């Protein structure tokens, strides 16, 4: 088989282009600091990288959900703490007003203060977090309590508000109003107990005023239990946050190992590719030098 000049030229140009592509590949990797810049670089690696990216996106979203859930429950906890302080104050007022020796004007002042604290408890029952009522189940856009819950009709929703904090993992974030303030008309309802105390003060009914003291103590126990339940959920979220952080770091590490370059290795490969490409150019230049016959033609 006769080797022609055109065949040699074509072969040299093909080899030159191959060497240039290799050089260009390593130059691009150093510029982007990424081993994978297009699917053709490593189809299997690209598939793995896309999987890791998806997992990172999911765990990041779960972590954000955990933060929102924790904020929701921290707000709930603060509301219950404030309600506890109000009941403690009412207990002090009941002790002051539950004796026959208290002057009438002092009892009237206690009755007025009790009325204000009653209204404050109603406002706590209608607390909103980011524009959503926290004690009305899934009816987050509907106010749960009327202005005078002890003497007006109302109905609370018992639905559960959940946040997804993992693949197939959900956590209940809301606390039902009945668990904090008691059921409508129940003898242990905060609104009923405080309303009866207020009426007893207005009517100078000393036995009923004194009788509200143990009821108020019972309300404090109920509030403590509700707060403990919220705290238990927050503890669970702390563990969930730690787990998600570990998962995210693991996926980020795997993604980096799949996509990012090994800098020393890539620099070595680049220098090798540069040498090969330069050698190819030199070889072509020597082979392609015109001979005496070229001039004679």
């Amino acid at each position: 088989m006769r080797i022609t000049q055109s065949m040699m030229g074509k072969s040299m140009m093909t080899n030159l282009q191959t060497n240039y592509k290799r050089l260009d590949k390593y130059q691009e990797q150093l510029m982007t600091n990424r081993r994978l810049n297009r699917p053709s670089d490593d189809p299997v690696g690209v598939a793995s990288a896309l999987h890791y990216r998806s997992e990172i996106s999911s765990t990041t979203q779960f972590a954000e959900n955990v933060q929102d859930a924790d904020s929701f429950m921290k707000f709930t906890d603060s509301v219950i703490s404030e309600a506890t302080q109000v009941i403690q104050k009412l207990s002090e007022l009941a002790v002051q007003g539950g004796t026959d020796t208290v002057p009438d004007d002092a009892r009237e002042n206690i009755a007025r203060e009790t009325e204000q604290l009653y209204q404050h408890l109603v406002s706590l029952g209608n607390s909103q977090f980011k524009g959503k009522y926290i004690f009305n189940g899934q009816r987050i856009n509907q106010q749960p309590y009327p202005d005078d819950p002890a003497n007006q009709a109302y109905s609370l929703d018992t639905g559960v508000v959940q946040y997804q904090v993992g693949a197939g993992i959900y956590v209940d974030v809301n606390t039902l109003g009945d668990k904090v303030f008691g059921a409508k008309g129940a003898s242990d309802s905060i609104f009923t107990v405080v309303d009866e105390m207020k009426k007893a003060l207005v009517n100078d009914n000393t036995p009923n005023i004194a009788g509200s003291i143990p009821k108020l103590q019972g309300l404090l126990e109920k509030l403590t239990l509700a707060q403990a339940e919220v705290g238990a959920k927050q503890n669970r979220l702390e563990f969930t946050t730690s787990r998600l952080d570990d998962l995210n770091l693991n996926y980020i590490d795997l993604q980096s190992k799949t996509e990012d370059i090994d800098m020393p290795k890539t620099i070595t490969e680049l220098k090798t590719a540069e040498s090969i490409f330069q050698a190819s150019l030199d070889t072509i230049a020597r082979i392609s030098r015109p001979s005496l016959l070229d001039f004679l033609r």
Side-chain angles (χ1 to χ4, degrees):
M1 179 179 177
R2 181 176 171 226
I3 305 298
T4 65
Q5 187 71 22
S6 63
M7 292 173 62
M8 290 178 59
K10 184 177 180 181
S11 177
M12 286 188 296
M13 291 306 299
T14 300
N15 290 332
L16 183 64
Q17 288 177 352
T18 300
N19 294 334
Y20 178 76
K21 287 180 180 179
R22 182 185 299 110
L23 175 62
D24 182 63
K25 170 186 173 182
Y26 292 121
Q27 286 178 332
E28 183 181 37
Q29 288 183 356
L30 280 175
M31 288 177 60
T32 62
N33 200 33
R34 293 166 57 86
R35 188 176 67 85
L36 305 177
N37 292 291
R38 55 185 60 81
S40 59
D41 290 339
D42 182 359
V44 176
V46 168
S48 297
L50 290 175
H51 172 70
Y52 298 142
R53 288 188 183 187
S54 176
E55 293 295 337
I56 291 171
S57 177
S58 296
T59 53
T60 300
Q61 182 60 59
F62 292 146
E64 291 177 358
N65 291 350
V66 169
Q67 291 178 357
D68 287 344
D70 186 58
S71 297
F72 189 104
M73 286 189 280
K74 281 181 179 177
F75 180 76
T76 302
D77 180 73
S78 67
V79 171
I80 297 176
S81 294
E82 192 169 344
T84 300
Q85 294 173 7
V86 172
I87 297 302
Q88 289 172 339
K89 180 61 178 178
L90 286 167
S91 296
E92 296 173 6
L93 295 176
V95 172
Q96 294 175 18
T99 62
D100 292 324
T101 57
V102 64
D104 291 342
D105 58 342
R107 186 168 281 177
E108 290 175 2
N109 290 333
I110 294 174
R112 282 194 289 269
E113 186 172 357
T114 300
E115 170 63 22
Q116 292 300 314
L117 292 175
Y118 175 83
Q119 294 300 327
H120 188 61
L121 286 170
V122 174
S123 69
L124 290 177
N126 290 324
S127 296
Q128 293 176 280
F129 177 74
K130 294 183 177 179
K132 301 175 183 178
Y133 292 101
I134 65 174
F135 292 121
N136 201 18
Q138 294 181 346
R139 292 199 302 228
I140 55 177
N141 297 320
Q142 182 177 332
Q143 178 176 306
Y145 296 104
D147 294 337
D148 187 6
N151 301 292
Q152 291 178 282
Y154 65 88
S155 176
L156 299 183
D157 184 64
T158 58
V160 176
V161 177
Q162 294 183 321
Y163 278 64
Q164 186 175 8
V165 297
I169 303 174
Y170 297 84
V171 62
D172 301 344
V173 299
N174 66 319
T175 301
L176 299 179
D178 287 351
K179 286 190 176 183
V180 179
F181 300 97
K184 164 66 177 172
S187 59
D188 62 346
S189 165
I190 282 182
F191 302 118
T192 299
V193 172
V194 178
D195 184 65
E196 290 176 350
M197 174 182 165
K198 177 181 62 176
K199 290 177 180 177
L201 286 164
V202 171
N203 297 324
D204 291 324
N205 190 329
T206 303
N208 283 357
I209 297 172
S212 64
I213 296 175
K215 293 181 180 179
L216 290 168
Q217 294 301 316
L219 294 178
L220 288 174
E221 294 178 6
K222 175 180 286 189
L223 289 170
T224 299
L225 289 175
Q227 200 164 20
E229 183 178 333
V230 174
K233 292 178 181 178
Q234 287 180 293
N235 289 337
R236 178 186 176 187
L237 287 181
E238 288 183 9
F239 289 112
T240 302
T241 298
S242 178
R243 180 177 60 83
L244 288 173
D245 288 343
D246 290 342
L247 278 175
N248 215 26
L249 288 174
N250 183 48
Y251 285 128
I252 289 174
D253 182 59
L254 290 172
Q255 180 191 18
S256 176
K257 289 179 179 178
T258 302
E259 295 188 24
D260 296 345
I261 63 172
D262 180 343
M263 186 65 73
K265 180 180 178 181
T266 303
I267 292 176
T268 301
E269 295 287 356
L270 175 63
K271 293 300 182 182
T272 301
E274 287 177 344
S275 298
I276 293 174
F277 181 69
Q278 187 61 49
S280 299
L281 290 175
D282 293 342
T283 301
I284 291 175
R286 286 196 299 269
I287 294 177
S288 301
R289 287 174 184 169
S291 64
L292 179 61
L293 291 177
D294 293 323
F295 287 110
L296 294 175
R297 292 194 189 114

